[in-house]
Amino acid sequence: MPESLSQPDAAPSRHGEPLLQVNDLQVSFKTDDSRVRAVRGVSFDIYPGETVGLVGESGSGKSVTNLALMGLVPSPPGRVDGGSVMYDGKDLLKLSPLQMQSIRGRRIAMIFQDPMTALNPLMTVGQQLTEMTRLHLGLSRRQANEKAAEMLELVGISGASRRLRDYPHQFSGGMRQRVMIAMALSCEPDLLIADEPTTALDVTIQAQILDLLRELQERRGTSIILITHDLGVVAETCHRVLVMYAGKVVEKSDAGPLFASPQHPYTQGLLQSLPRFDQVQTTLRAIPGQPPDLGNLPEGCSFRSRCPLAIDRCAREEPPLASVGDRREAACWVAEENANG
Amino acid sequence: MDDTSTNTPLLSVRDLCVHFPFSRGSMLRPEHGVIRAVDGLSFQIAQGETLALVGESGCGKSTTARAIINLVHPTSGSVRLRGVEIAGLSDREMMPHRRVVQMVFQDPFASLNPRMTVGSIIGEPLAVHRLASGKDRKLEVLRLMDLVGLNPRFLNRYPHEFSGGQRQRIGIARALAVQPELILCDEPVSALDVSIQAQIVNLLMDLQQKLGLSYLFIAHDLSVVRHIATRVGVMYLGRLAEIGDAASVYAHPTHPYTEALLSAVPVPDPVLAATRQRIRLEGEVPTPDRQYVGCSFVDRCPIAVEKCRHDRPPHEPVAAGEPGHTAACWERT
Ligand SMILES: Nc1ncnc2c1ncn2[C@@H]1O[C@H](COP(=O)(O)OP(=O)(O)OP(=O)(O)O)[C@@H](O)[C@H]1O
Ligand SMILES: Nc1ncnc2c1ncn2[C@@H]1O[C@H](COP(=O)(O)OP(=O)(O)O)[C@@H](O)[C@H]1O
Ligand code: SF4
Ligand code: SF4
Ligand SMILES: [Mg+2]
Ligand SMILES: [Mg+2]
């Protein structure tokens, strides 16, 4: 039935305490011939009840940033080189693996792009759902079963108590993604990190899943980090947006202003290169060239070889994130100068 | 019938079916069934045109393309190239037709031989079809590289040294080597970054202009399709729900599935997004071995009536649409 598209409500007020504060996060990976600096000084805050979109090219450091928050950077070859992740008065990067385990799944949960890699094919969906709540919430077997059925119902899987006995392969792609969401939400986390949760799904199923996340957020005030390469999905679900390029956040803004007047030349290029569903263009304005090799970054701004606005300074000095408006920041010499005169 | 006059469409597919028999269950109680990956598909592609096929994962788009070039043999139906029947030809009989139809694949990482240099990958079809050898072949390869925007310095490099977008350019150059008239593009930009997708889409459209190519363009991104397609076919479970001129289908989506699909595309514009109406589909995509006597969309259709369960809806013209715009729905046509 036609319904007005549920939009993210006006951004929840960002007053009060942030739920999570990431400060100058640095992560690198050792490769045969170099050290790849995958995340190069990323900082951002997440407030209660908000959805923050993380966009950027593949390899720009989105997933690694979030793996670091969860204490899941594979090591070796990976290494967190610096920074802090403050949550509940503690720096998550300093917790022991055991302490981190009690936060992961319980307070901060993650859903992955490919549900099959995260679900155990040899365990029933019920076993996997109850394992979490028994471990983290100390529920009895019966309570855990009831909770599991309730969660499946919540994510829109009918005949829930029967389906608990099914194995993951007996579900379709969209349903598996919902099972993942049910698992992630069963301990009522404060923060949900969703890494490309709908990329593998079709648009009609994607719409169902995004609606579901929005409803759950409204009901429980969960904060969400949504990693996606789909700017349409960002426009329809996120309050705030972080744009990443070559391991850095290059633009930070509320969603509305970002789409209305992007400040960083990369964000501008991205939005201009999109074919529009609602209008016909003759040629797309593609961004020329390719993203740089993280193991061998050029001096100065990492976007320079593709940037139409580059000036001399860009070749020498790497621009820091700087204020370019109300609650807006961009890492670009030209944008900063335009904003601040 | 086999006239090759200009009125004969470049490609004509009629009642194409590709069924895969399967068995599952235990040895003692095996269950046999058939997956109707493509189940009675008809469409044509004229010279210089781009027909896009869209639809959910598993609806039979790739199988359709593979059946056209006989990578899978059609169970029944006809595939005519310039009026000549090619369905079910053997590999050897298919050879001369492979010069007319080429394919570009989704995954630029898996579809190129990692042990061959770019030069030999692009030159291979020239050798196989005995079109050029020696110095001529090298010159032709360099011309093709230039055509798709690859630096000739890369001639002796290997695929792993290239980014996704560049590998897709290599795949396109290889397809162009035999000077085909029709290229079947199976999700050629889906695996690429947004900023690279536009480069490849522009390249495909430039090449079409320059060389008069026709495309069958398989995609799930309806914004890309809006941009590149002259005609659009919407598939659902092996059948065409709707087909017509792109502008007509986007302006007058008529099949309830097309309508839901178009309404669910996220648009990168928060202001516009707030004013759009979305049709929410209930239910899941059925498993592909599910058989439908009537309309295959009946389990998810918000306006289904009893008749839809028993009778298969034929394609009928869409009243509001341009000529050639048809949909298969009892309630809407
Ligand atoms: N060789 C095969 N044997 C059995 N089933 C097959 C085979 N090839 C395809 N299928 C089935 O046929 C159906 C159509 O598959 P196809 O690959 O054509 O889908 P598609 O529309 O290209 O999907 P996607 O968008 O995921 O690429 C699917 O259910 C698939 O599992
Ligand atoms: N396990 C790993 N080993 C080596 N390099 C890695 C590993 N995981 C990620 N990287 C590298 O880190 C960089 C950022 O990756 P990632 O965060 O996954 O990007 P994305 O933005 O696509 O999520 C990339 O250059 C990637 O190749
Ligand atoms: S700093 Fe210079 S090169 Fe970098 S994005 Fe801004 S203008 Fe372009
Ligand atoms: S034929 Fe019936 S079930 Fe099929 S789309 Fe039309 S109304 Fe819906
Ligand atoms: Mg990633
Ligand atoms: Mg396919």
Side-chain angles (χ1 to χ4, degrees):
Chain A
M1 303 294 105
E3 58 175 50
S4 199
L5 215 150
S6 35
Q7 267 278 287
D9 299 328
S13 80
R14 300 189 104 229
H15 302 304
E17 285 293 298
L19 176 69
L20 184 98
Q21 285 178 294
V22 178
N23 216 319
D24 199 26
L25 182 68
Q26 318 246 4
V27 186
S28 64
F29 289 92
K30 195 178 164 1
T31 63
D32 296 343
D33 46 359
S34 64
R35 191 157 264 285
V36 171
R37 297 183 59 205
V39 176
R40 305 186 295 133
V42 162
S43 306
F44 59 90
D45 300 336
I46 307 284
Y47 282 77
E50 75 175 353
T51 301
V52 176
L54 199 50
V55 299
E57 333 225 338
S58 82
S60 60
K62 308 181 295 293
S63 299
V64 171
T65 298
N66 287 286
L67 288 178
L69 304 192
M70 300 278 286
L72 291 175
V73 172
S75 167
R79 187 176 77 197
V80 176
D81 297 313
S84 63
V85 178
M86 300 307 293
Y87 173 80
D88 212 6
K90 290 186 284 277
D91 181 355
L92 297 186
L93 299 180
K94 297 217 164 74
L95 297 188
S96 70
L98 204 67
Q99 287 171 313
M100 198 58 218
Q101 216 167 46
S102 71
I103 289 189
R104 203 186 305 136
R106 171 74 187 89
R107 314 290 296 275
I108 305 180
M110 188 150 180
I111 53 186
F112 298 90
Q113 172 166 358
D114 177 8
M116 266 330 243
T117 59
L119 293 172
N120 183 337
L122 301 177
M123 279 166 73
T124 64
V125 161
Q127 283 167 337
Q128 301 185 55
L129 273 165
T130 53
E131 192 181 40
M132 298 281 286
T133 49
R134 296 190 65 191
L135 177 74
H136 287 307
L137 303 182
L139 299 188
S140 72
R141 185 180 297 274
R142 230 197 64 209
Q143 286 170 321
N145 269 323
E146 276 166 20
K147 174 102 187 167
E150 181 195 315
M151 289 311 298
L152 280 193
E153 221 123 85
L154 186 70
V155 298
I157 292 180
S158 48
S161 41
R162 194 165 31 81
R163 304 249 31 191
L164 286 176
R165 273 173 266 146
D166 285 346
Y167 290 87
H169 72 88
Q170 289 166 288
F171 290 81
S172 73
M175 283 164 103
R176 274 183 224 135
Q177 200 54 280
R178 283 188 231 185
V179 170
M180 282 270 296
I181 294 174
M183 266 172 75
L185 292 175
S186 59
C187 296
E188 306 191 8
D190 301 330
L191 174 64
L192 179 68
I193 301 175
D195 193 346
E196 307 262 6
T198 56
T199 301
L201 305 176
D202 297 293
V203 286
T204 59
I205 307 292
Q206 164 171 289
Q208 288 177 358
I209 300 286
L210 295 178
D211 281 347
L212 173 70
L213 286 178
R214 238 179 333 240
E215 279 163 28
L216 293 169
Q217 177 170 63
E218 261 160 45
R219 213 174 310 166
R220 305 191 168 184
T222 317
S223 303
I224 299 176
I225 299 180
L226 182 69
I227 305 178
T228 175
H229 66 268
D230 188 331
L231 290 158
V233 169
V234 172
E236 293 190 355
T237 50
C238 297
H239 305 109
R240 224 172 139 70
V241 188
L242 308 173
V243 182
M244 286 192 74
Y245 191 81
K248 290 203 159 185
V249 174
V250 295
E251 182 156 4
K252 247 188 229 185
S253 169
D254 286 347
L258 184 93
F259 286 94
S261 62
Q263 297 295 305
H264 194 282
Y266 171 64
T267 319
Q268 292 168 351
L270 265 189
L271 286 171
Q272 282 170 356
S273 72
L274 285 183
R276 286 291 294 258
F277 168 76
D278 47 325
Q279 59 204 45
V280 183
Q281 304 111 306
T282 43
T283 36
L284 301 176
R285 304 203 16 205
I287 303 179
Q290 296 149 50
D293 173 5
L294 287 181
N296 189 11
L297 282 171
E299 226 179 301
C301 176
S302 50
F303 188 59
R304 190 177 61 90
S305 64
R306 308 174 75 186
C307 182
L309 304 181
I311 53 177
D312 287 350
R313 184 178 190 183
C314 310
R316 297 189 307 270
E317 294 170 74
E318 184 158 30
L321 259 187
S323 171
V324 291
D326 187 23
R327 293 155 55 99
R328 307 193 66 176
E329 290 168 60
C332 168
W333 296 123
V334 173
E336 190 189 340
E337 186 161 321
N338 289 345
N340 304 324
Chain B
M1 277 297 272
D2 283 0
D3 75 318
T4 42
S5 75
T6 46
N7 292 334
T8 313
L10 177 56
L11 179 78
S12 171
V13 172
R14 275 196 76 81
D15 296 324
L16 183 69
C17 291
V18 183
H19 295 175
F20 296 108
F22 71 90
S23 33
R24 66 170 173 217
S26 63
M27 291 249 278
L28 292 176
R29 239 191 285 145
E31 265 181 73
H32 298 286
V34 58
I35 292 176
R36 295 165 189 258
V38 179
D39 195 23
L41 216 57
S42 302
F43 59 83
Q44 302 186 334
I45 301 180
Q47 200 218 311
E49 178 174 84
T50 300
L51 171 68
L53 278 186
V54 301
E56 305 189 342
S57 180
C59 73
K61 306 179 296 292
S62 300
T63 306
T64 301
R66 295 163 62 82
I68 289 171
I69 51 169
N70 262 307
L71 286 178
V72 292
H73 289 301
T75 309
S76 62
S78 144
V79 177
R80 283 165 183 267
L81 203 55
R82 289 233 173 279
V84 179
E85 183 63 53
I86 58 166
L89 293 189
S90 68
D91 279 354
R92 208 167 50 84
E93 294 165 326
M94 197 55 204
M95 264 293 262
H97 302 293
R98 291 246 155 84
R99 277 196 61 189
V100 185
V101 198
Q102 283 284 310
M103 190 144 173
V104 171
F105 297 91
Q106 164 169 5
D107 186 352
F109 297 88
S111 57
L112 302 176
N113 186 338
R115 277 179 295 274
M116 281 166 74
T117 62
V118 170
S120 41
I121 289 172
I122 299 174
E124 188 182 49
L126 295 171
V128 170
H129 290 276
R130 301 215 175 87
L131 296 175
S133 58
K135 187 136 190 297
D136 288 345
R137 191 186 301 161
K138 186 174 166 195
L139 282 176
E140 180 59 13
V141 168
L142 289 172
R143 188 187 69 84
L144 289 163
M145 288 178 72
D146 182 54
L147 191 62
V148 300
L150 282 171
N151 193 319
R153 280 191 292 121
F154 298 157
L155 188 69
N156 294 316
R157 298 221 188 146
Y158 290 88
H160 73 262
E161 298 174 68
F162 292 90
S163 68
Q166 285 174 320
R167 287 184 221 204
Q168 205 54 291
R169 289 180 198 269
I170 299 172
I172 293 169
R174 178 183 160 93
L176 289 175
V178 298
Q179 305 188 351
E181 296 176 55
L182 173 65
I183 300 187
L184 314 177
C185 305
D186 192 358
E187 309 241 14
V189 299
S190 307
L192 305 177
D193 273 314
V194 181
S195 81
I196 307 296
Q197 280 187 15
Q199 295 178 1
I200 299 297
V201 167
N202 283 346
L203 172 65
L204 287 170
M205 293 178 80
D206 280 354
L207 291 170
Q208 180 163 50
Q209 282 278 313
K210 264 188 218 151
L211 309 173
L213 292 169
S214 310
Y215 295 127
L216 177 72
F217 188 88
I218 295 173
H220 65 256
D221 183 329
L222 288 138
S223 304
V224 171
V225 165
R226 176 79 187 97
H227 183 68
I228 203 169
T230 33
R231 291 171 68 235
V232 180
V234 180
M235 282 184 77
Y236 191 80
L237 287 184
R239 304 179 187 173
L240 267 180
E242 183 158 0
I243 187 167
D245 282 356
S248 186
V249 172
Y250 278 73
H252 309 286
T254 297
H255 193 284
Y257 175 61
T258 314
E259 203 178 33
L261 196 64
L262 292 184
S263 79
V265 178
V267 289
D269 180 343
V271 182
L272 186 68
T275 62
R276 284 172 79 218
Q277 300 268 301
R278 176 144 89 214
I279 298 158
R280 204 201 273 234
L281 282 183
E282 300 297 333
E284 289 292 328
V285 187
T287 55
D289 57 318
R290 174 97 163 72
Q291 312 271 323
Y292 289 90
V293 188
C295 176
S296 56
F297 189 56
V298 66
D299 291 335
R300 300 173 74 197
C301 182
I303 59 166
V305 293
E306 191 55 28
K307 178 179 191 168
C308 308
R309 300 211 167 273
H310 314 296
D311 300 314
R312 182 163 168 171
H315 267 266
E316 299 283 354
V318 168
E322 300 288 318
H325 180 177
T326 63
C329 171
W330 290 121
E331 290 293 284
R332 289 284 172 81
T333 55

